[in-house]
């Protein structure tokens, strides 16, 4: 599987990489590129090999940003995307996800 570079949209999610959104210094328009409408923001650090388990939310859309390292995000019934540094994923509340 190759690392996600450009924005890819799926059923209830969008993934991409911050480097594909704009060039040079300044703001990177994440909301528009990934179709974000409302979400909560949290920072988490996952040890290598850790899995979150499959889950979804009743109301909260989530945005995942990979600062360093790599994650494999599995969405719905098996859509897998590898995100490296700068990787982004917007996930609808009801979309099943596993990191």
């Amino acid at each position: 599987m190759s690392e996600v570079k450009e924005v890819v949209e799926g059923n209830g999610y969008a993934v991409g990489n911050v480097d594909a959104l704009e060039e040079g210094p300044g703001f990177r328009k994440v909301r528009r590129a990934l179709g974000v409408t409302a979400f909560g923001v949290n920072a988490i650090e996952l040890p290598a090999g850790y899995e979150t388990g499959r889950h979804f939310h009743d109301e909260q859309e989530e945005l995942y940003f990979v600062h360093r390292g790599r994650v494999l995000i599995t969405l719905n019934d098996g859509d897998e995307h590898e995100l490296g540094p700068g990787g982004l994923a917007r996930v609808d509340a009801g979309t099943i996800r596993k990191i």
Side-chain angles (χ1 to χ4, degrees), residues 6-87:
E6 301 297 322
V7 174
V8 176
E9 295 185 47
N11 183 17
Y13 69 88
V15 297
N17 189 290
V18 70
D19 290 335
L21 302 183
E22 301 286 334
E23 289 188 27
F27 285 95
R28 306 288 171 107
K29 304 293 185 180
V30 174
R31 279 181 70 98
R32 187 177 335 135
L34 297 184
V36 175
T37 58
F39 62 88
V41 176
N42 298 296
I44 60 172
E45 183 173 333
L46 302 175
Y50 181 85
E51 293 184 6
T52 62
R54 291 169 44 93
H55 69 285
F56 67 93
H57 299 280
D58 291 327
E59 297 180 19
Q60 182 173 294
E61 179 179 46
E62 290 186 315
L63 175 68
Y64 296 91
F65 169 73
V66 179
H67 175 67
R68 64 179 170 261
R70 304 183 103 57
V71 299
L72 179 65
I73 184 167
T74 305
L75 301 156
N76 297 316
D77 291 323
D79 298 337
E80 292 185 333
H81 301 277
E82 180 181 334
L83 303 176

